């Protein structure tokens, strides 16, 4: 929904998307996180002066060689799950299919509002169909994996096979008590899970939030010192109250435009 206010959101979204795509190729040599050199790190451990570790998305083909940009067309998906209290959250880890890099910077994708599945599958909105299912989180995960990132996306706890065929859960635990804080805590548990994996650079974690997930990643990134980067996609540029009022105004305008002429109209 675009108006004078929400058009600004679209501009910010375009900047955020550019930042996301840049993450897959940036050198990030100034990052404070320990950076992994890939397979030559262990071989060089007995040297007096180990080589400088390669930045994100780069590797050394042989010990002592220069860091090179990493890219591949082959990715692998892994079905995973993690717990937040009694709630089991199912998801998919997508990563490069390669032996050149042993540990990857890791990304967690956070959904927008609504009972989204792990791919944030959508067929349209407000009566506008896309003609096919659109899976933005799946596309983002595969793109980043092809450029050296490990990406976790998971079914939102409010997504069940009642409202989405692709969701694993059959019921929602404690629906009446679920708040934004619940979703933020789920994302925090996703980060905790990633830090247990041997193929993850535990000190190089990235949060990407879409729509409602935007302010969530900002809140979580502020709370956790182990989050190195945060990306907001199409996040609200205004307060929740302003955003909802603007959306309802636009919705009413569109609905009235589609109504048949009244008795006072020609």
């Amino acid at each position: 929904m675009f108006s004078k206010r929400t058009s600004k959101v679209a501009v910010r979204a375009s900047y955020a998307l550019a930042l996301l795509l840049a993450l897959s190729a940036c050198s990030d040599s100034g990052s404070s996180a320990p950076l992994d050199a890939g397979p030559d790190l262990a071989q060089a451990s007995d040297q007096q002066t180990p080589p400088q570790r390669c930045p994100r998305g780069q590797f050394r083909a042989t010990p002592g060689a220069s860091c090179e940009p990493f890219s591949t067309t082959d990715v692998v998906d892994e079905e995973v799950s993690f717990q937040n209290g009694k709630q089991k959250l199912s998801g998919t880890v997508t990563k490069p299919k390669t032996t050149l890099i042993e540990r990857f910077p890791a990304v967690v994708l956070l959904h927008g509002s609504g009972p989204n599945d792990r791919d944030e599958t959508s067929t349209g909105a407000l009566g506008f169909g896309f003609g096919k299912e659109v899976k933005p989180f799946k596309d983002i995960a595969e793109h980043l994996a092809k450029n050296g990132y490990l990406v976790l996306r998971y079914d939102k706890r409010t997504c069940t096979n009642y409202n989405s065929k692709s969701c694993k859960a059959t019921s929602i635990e404690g629906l009446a008590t679920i708040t934004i804080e619940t979703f933020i805590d789920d994302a925090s548990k996703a980060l905790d899970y990633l830090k247990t994996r041997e193929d993850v650079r535990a000190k190089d974690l990235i949060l990407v939030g879409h729509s409602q997930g935007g302010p969530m990643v900002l809140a979580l990134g502020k709370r956790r010192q182990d989050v190195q980067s945060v990306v907001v996609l199409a996040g609200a540029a205004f307060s929740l109250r302003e955003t909802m009022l603007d959306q309802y105004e636009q919705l009413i305008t569109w609905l009235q435009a589609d109504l048949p002429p009244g008795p006072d109209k020609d």
Side-chain angles (χ1 to χ4, degrees):
M1 289 166 281
F2 293 92
S3 67
K4 291 181 179 179
R5 270 189 253 166
T6 52
S7 61
K8 297 179 182 178
V9 180
V11 173
R12 294 193 179 196
S14 65
Y15 290 148
L17 181 57
L19 175 59
L20 175 61
L21 296 177
L23 272 176
S24 63
C26 69
S27 61
D28 198 25
S29 57
S31 173
S32 59
L35 299 175
D36 195 353
D40 63 318
L41 185 59
Q43 299 174 27
S45 61
D46 58 347
Q47 298 178 5
Q48 292 182 350
T49 305
Q52 183 180 4
R53 294 183 173 186
C54 288
R56 290 176 185 166
Q58 297 189 21
F59 73 103
R60 288 189 176 90
T62 58
S66 299
C67 296
E68 302 176 17
F70 175 86
S71 65
T72 181
T73 58
D74 296 325
V75 300
V76 58
D77 287 336
E78 175 187 350
E79 291 290 311
V80 301
S81 64
F82 57 95
Q83 294 285 143
N84 186 2
K86 296 181 180 180
Q87 182 71 42
K88 178 181 178 180
L89 298 163
S90 300
T92 301
V93 163
T94 303
K95 65 179 183 179
K97 187 176 183 180
T98 180
T99 58
L100 295 175
I101 301 177
E102 294 176 348
R103 295 187 298 147
F104 305 95
V107 179
V108 176
L109 302 181
L110 273 70
H111 330 73
S113 57
N116 289 292
D117 63 18
R118 67 194 66 183
D119 297 330
E120 218 178 35
T121 304
S122 178
T123 56
L126 297 176
F128 294 94
F130 298 140
K132 63 177 181 179
E133 286 189 337
V134 176
K135 299 178 179 289
F137 274 13
K138 183 176 186 294
D139 293 339
I140 291 172
E142 291 179 351
H143 172 78
L144 290 178
K146 290 176 181 178
N147 287 275
Y149 289 78
L150 180 148
V151 185
L152 169 62
R153 62 192 194 275
Y154 57 93
D155 296 332
K156 204 170 181 179
R157 67 164 57 214
T158 50
C159 187
T160 71
N161 54 29
Y162 175 78
N163 50 45
S164 176
K165 295 179 181 179
S166 58
C167 283
K168 303 294 183 182
T170 57
S171 62
I172 302 173
E173 297 290 337
L175 177 60
T177 61
I178 294 175
T179 66
I180 292 294
E181 286 296 326
T182 309
F183 299 132
I184 293 175
D185 194 42
D186 286 344
S188 185
K189 293 299 188 294
L191 291 172
D192 291 340
Y193 163 72
L194 287 178
K195 293 178 71 172
T196 68
R197 294 179 60 101
E198 294 183 355
D199 54 0
V200 166
R201 291 205 310 228
K203 294 185 179 180
D204 204 357
L205 303 177
I206 304 161
L207 292 171
V208 176
H210 171 235
S211 190
Q212 184 189 69
M216 290 165 56
V217 299
L218 293 175
L220 186 55
K222 184 177 180 180
R223 297 175 192 179
R224 293 192 57 140
Q225 298 301 311
D226 52 0
V227 174
Q228 296 300 309
S229 304
V230 171
V231 177
V232 177
L233 298 176
F238 311 97
S239 70
L240 179 61
R241 180 178 181 277
E242 287 182 296
T243 301
M244 291 185 67
L245 285 174
D246 187 68
Q247 290 180 343
Y248 280 121
E249 287 173 3
Q250 291 297 314
L251 180 59
I252 291 172
T253 299
W254 291 349
L255 289 175
Q256 290 177 335
D258 292 335
L259 292 176
D264 59 339
K265 297 181 180 181
D266 294 332

